[in-house]
Every structure is written in structure tokens, then in C-alpha cells.
Amino acid sequence: MDNQYLKQPAERHDSRSALLAWAFYDWASNAFATLIVTFVFAAYFTDQVAADPTQGTTLWGNAVAAAGLLVALFGPILGAAADQGGPRKALFTLLTLAAVTATGLLWFVQPDPAYVALALVLLGLGIIASELAGVLYNAMLPVLAPPERIGRWSGWGWGLGYVGGVACLALALLGFVREDAWLQLPRDEAQHVRATFLLAAAWLLVFALPLLLKVRMTSVSPNKPLLRAVRDGLRQLAATLRQIRRYRVIVRFLIARMLYVDGLATLFALGGVYAAGTFAMSEQEVLTFGILLNITAALGAGLFAWLDDWQGSRTTILLALGGLILLGSAILFVHSQTLFWILGGLLGLFVGPAQAAARSYLGRVAPAELRAELFGLFALSGKATAFAGPFLVGWVTWLAGSQRVGMAVIVVFFVLGFAMTLTLPAARPDANARTRA
């Protein structure tokens, strides 16, 4: 295939209410990522459930890695089955409800090592269900939004996701966790912390309902029974991989995204460690800094969304990566904690656009009949090498004896992603362009 762009399918839900329902699913799903994977449950598991923090950190890392590997494996298969006429709305609903259930059941994980296995199983199921639901969710964007508005809706959705995660976290802290919380729950078995897991489950369910109940999910292919769709999807996925040269633009895009997403994942995974080790920031200061990053990332995703529709996704990604490279490099040289806060906040402005514009780029260039399959590969590109960043930062830090030198690896990932993105054609937001990716 050449470097052109497919016309969007004729059938499209482009009502504002449907698009708002779609965007608020990002708001809904980030409660799981923020409360469970990043902040509250992660800290609760390592500090109170596991036998000791060292064992807890090891088990947590292994569980997250294993779940990511399964998402990378099954994401493309799920997407291919959906493209072949599988019951995508039923699958999307089932996966969302599975994520809600796994999150809610975390309430039963008490602060005792006897609950380690239950905690890890539920964590893994929650990650797998939410990430696989995300494959079908992302594939809805080009169907719901007109081509000339894909960028802004992707950015607005991503921004809402960041804000929703922070809002749910703030509600959890103020409502349950703090000593002066609005709702005073017993603390002898960490009920005040475990209640936040029920909050996260309810948050996901309530704010996902408009999308689950209101919006149809259609496929280019005729509807098929699930098993037949999976079988046909596996055949189609194998055919796509055999003919990979026909999709060379998309392959280059996925490689570019894989590189800079590895950098972003490492930044979020180890940024707090760097802040604590290099700038002697307390746990509360690190948490506040994480909230600041999420807020500025939301602002950046929303603001750059207009640029995406005006100048295209490729330009937006390049500008975002340029900002990450410049500010990330500057942070490695500053010694003032005040400057670190300022540069870190500005850095967040470019985090959201780099992710949101990648979604809109693929939404514009993916062939309609392979869209969900390619968003499955999109999920794979975000998981397949997720270990590389933390692994390299850890080893470089140890060899150089410096956190600053080790964290420079993240900037290298951004530079490599920038260089690969330069080789891509511009995904122009032209509703009338008819080309192939």
C-alpha cells in the first residue's frame, strides 16, 4: 500500500452526545489506572499486604509485566475478531464489566500476606480486561468522529482521562484515606483504604454507562458468531503479518510509538524515584508532583488537540516529542527543587499530546476493515518492550553511579521516537482524501 489515507466509512455516529459518551469513557477508565495501578492499591499492596516491601515490589512488577504480556498477545487477536464481524459491543461490555468486577473485588484483599495471591489475580484480571476493552474503544474513534475532528476528540478524551484519574484520586484521599476524611471508616483492617477500590469500580461503571448503553458499535464485516469471528480473525491477522510490507507506514508508526511510549512509561514509573533520590522529595511531595504532571498532561492533550486537526497528527507528535526532549534534558541538569517543579510541570504539557495524537494518527491511516486489528497491534506496541526502559535506566544508573545519567536513557527513547516519526507521511485531517496507508 502507498502512503495515502482511507476514506472513513459511510456509517458514522457523529452526534455530539455519542462523542461525549465516548470521551467520558477515558474519564471512567483512568480511575483504575490511577487508583489501582499507580497510587493507592499499589502502595497498599507493597506496604500492607505483601510480607515486606521488597517482596511486594517484586511480585507487583512481575504481575503487571505478565498482564501486559497477555494484553500484547490477545489484543491483536481480539481486534482481528472484531473486524471479522465478532460481537464487538458484547465483548466491549463484557470486558468493561470484568474490569469493574475485578476492581470491586479488591475490597476483599485484607492487609495480610494470606491475600497476596488474590490481590495479584484480581490486579492481573483488571489490567487485562481494561486494556483489551481499550482496543475496541480506540477503534471506535474514526467511526464516531468525522475525519477533520478526530484529533480534537482524541485529545479531549485523553485529557478527560487524566482529569478523571486525578478527580477520583482526590475524592479517594479526601473522602476515605486522610485522617480528617469526610467518611470516617474503621482502620483496623484498612477499611478506609479498601473502600477506595469500591470507589474506583463504581467510578468506572457509572461513567462508562453512557457509552455502553447509548452508542452502537458496528463492523465493516457482517456479524458472525464469536468462535467463527475468532477463527477468521486469526486468519486475517496471519495474512496481515504475511503481507506486512503493504503496511510499511503503519509498521514504522508503531515502531516510533513503541520507542517514545517506552520513554513515557519509564518516566511515569521512575520519575518519583528520581524526584525522591535526587531532590530529596517526600512521599507527599512526590504524590503532589504526580498530580501536577497529570493536570498539565490533561491541559496539553486538550490544547494540542486543535493543532492535531489543523496541522495533522504527525506534526503534533513531533512537537510534543521535541518538547519532551528539550525539557527532559533540562531537568537532568537542574539542581534547584523549584526549577524541577517548574520544568516538570511544563514537561507534562507535552506528555498528553504525544499519546493522544498517536491514537488519532492510526485512526486516520488504518484501513477500515482492519481498524480494530491494528489498534490491537497499537496496544502491543505499548506493551511489548515496556520492560526495556526501566531495565536500561536501572543498569545505566548502576554503572554510572548517577541517577541523572541513568534517567538520560528516557531522553534517548524520545530522540529515537522523534527520528522514526520524521520518516512518516503526514496524516492530514482531510475528510475527502482517499488513500491507502
Side-chain angles (χ1 to χ4, degrees):
M1 288 187 165
D2 55 24
N3 302 335
Q4 313 269 334
Y5 307 97
L6 276 169
K7 217 170 159 183
Q8 299 300 319
E11 183 178 23
R12 180 172 63 238
H13 306 281
D14 52 7
S15 70
R16 184 170 296 273
S17 60
L19 284 163
L20 282 172
W22 178 87
F24 266 93
Y25 189 86
D26 255 325
W27 166 286
S29 60
N30 264 272
F32 177 83
T34 304
L35 262 70
I36 306 304
V37 179
T38 306
F39 291 115
V40 182
F41 184 69
Y44 171 69
F45 177 82
T46 55
D47 293 340
Q48 299 189 54
V49 180
D52 58 74
T54 300
Q55 183 196 63
T57 301
T58 301
L59 291 172
W60 182 271
N62 290 340
V64 171
L69 181 62
L70 290 174
V71 170
L73 175 63
F74 288 109
I77 297 173
L78 172 69
D83 282 334
Q84 290 299 308
R88 64 173 64 201
K89 182 62 178 287
L91 288 171
F92 178 69
T93 301
L94 178 63
L95 289 167
T96 300
L97 294 179
V100 169
T101 302
T103 305
L105 289 176
L106 290 173
W107 160 263
F108 295 102
V109 176
Q110 298 184 28
D112 188 299
Y115 292 88
V116 163
L118 176 63
L120 294 177
V121 168
L122 292 175
L123 171 69
L125 289 175
I127 292 174
I128 293 167
S130 60
E131 293 280 354
L132 291 180
V135 171
L136 300 177
Y137 168 72
N138 287 333
M140 294 176 70
L141 175 59
V143 180
L144 291 173
E148 67 276 10
R149 293 179 178 268
I150 285 178
R152 72 191 68 182
W153 281 105
S154 180
W156 292 344
W158 214 283
L160 276 173
Y162 283 120
V163 175
V166 171
C168 190
L169 176 62
L171 183 58
L173 295 177
L174 295 173
F176 302 102
V177 176
R178 287 168 56 102
E179 292 291 339
D180 57 348
W182 300 332
L183 185 61
Q184 291 293 322
L185 295 175
R187 296 178 177 244
D188 56 312
E189 293 184 342
Q191 291 95 326
H192 64 302
V193 176
R194 290 157 53 201
T196 66
F197 313 149
L198 296 176
L199 171 65
W203 187 280
L204 172 56
L205 178 62
V206 169
F207 290 109
L209 280 177
L211 183 60
L212 296 178
L213 298 178
K214 180 181 179 61
V215 181
R216 291 180 296 132
M217 298 179 68
T218 58
S219 173
V220 174
S221 301
N223 292 334
K224 299 176 184 176
L226 177 59
L227 291 179
R228 181 182 169 193
V230 170
R231 183 190 64 199
D232 292 347
L234 286 170
R235 289 175 179 169
Q236 178 57 55
L237 181 60
T240 301
L241 295 176
R242 284 196 305 269
Q243 302 170 28
I244 201 69
R245 289 173 59 86
R246 299 178 60 196
Y247 307 100
R248 57 190 180 276
V249 170
I250 292 176
V251 171
R252 292 204 305 273
F253 161 72
L254 292 176
I255 293 172
R257 179 180 179 270
M258 179 181 68
L259 290 167
Y260 70 75
V261 165
D262 279 353
L264 289 172
T266 308
L267 173 66
F268 278 99
L270 300 179
V273 175
Y274 179 71
T278 302
F279 293 94
M281 290 170 62
S282 66
E283 288 185 5
Q284 183 172 345
E285 287 175 322
V286 170
L287 178 60
T288 304
F289 182 73
I291 292 173
L292 172 66
L293 273 180
N294 277 272
I295 292 173
T296 56
L299 288 172
L303 293 173
F304 275 70
W306 299 97
L307 179 67
D308 192 333
D309 283 336
W310 177 38
Q311 293 294 321
S313 307
R314 175 181 174 272
T315 299
T316 306
I317 294 170
L318 289 172
L319 286 174
L321 290 177
L324 290 170
I325 292 166
L326 291 175
L327 291 167
S329 300
I331 285 174
L332 297 176
F333 290 98
V334 301
H335 293 271
S336 163
Q337 189 176 118
T338 301
L339 282 177
F340 176 77
W341 277 88
I342 293 172
L343 292 173
L346 292 173
L347 183 78
L349 290 172
F350 299 96
V351 169
Q355 297 171 303
R359 177 165 65 185
S360 58
Y361 187 94
L362 184 58
R364 287 189 173 113
V365 304
E369 70 276 9
L370 299 177
R371 189 173 288 135
E373 176 185 331
L374 291 174
F375 270 108
L377 294 172
F378 183 83
L380 185 152
S381 73
K383 301 291 182 184
T385 60
F387 67 91
F391 176 81
L392 290 173
V393 168
W395 274 100
V396 172
T397 299
W398 180 74
L399 292 172
S402 167
Q403 273 192 319
R404 293 179 188 273
V405 175
M407 292 295 281
V409 170
I410 295 176
V411 178
V412 174
F413 276 106
F414 293 152
V415 170
L416 293 174
F418 184 94
M420 181 64 75
T421 303
L422 280 174
T423 71
L424 300 175
R428 295 180 300 278
D430 180 359
N432 298 314
R434 179 180 180 81
T435 66
R436 296 171 296 170

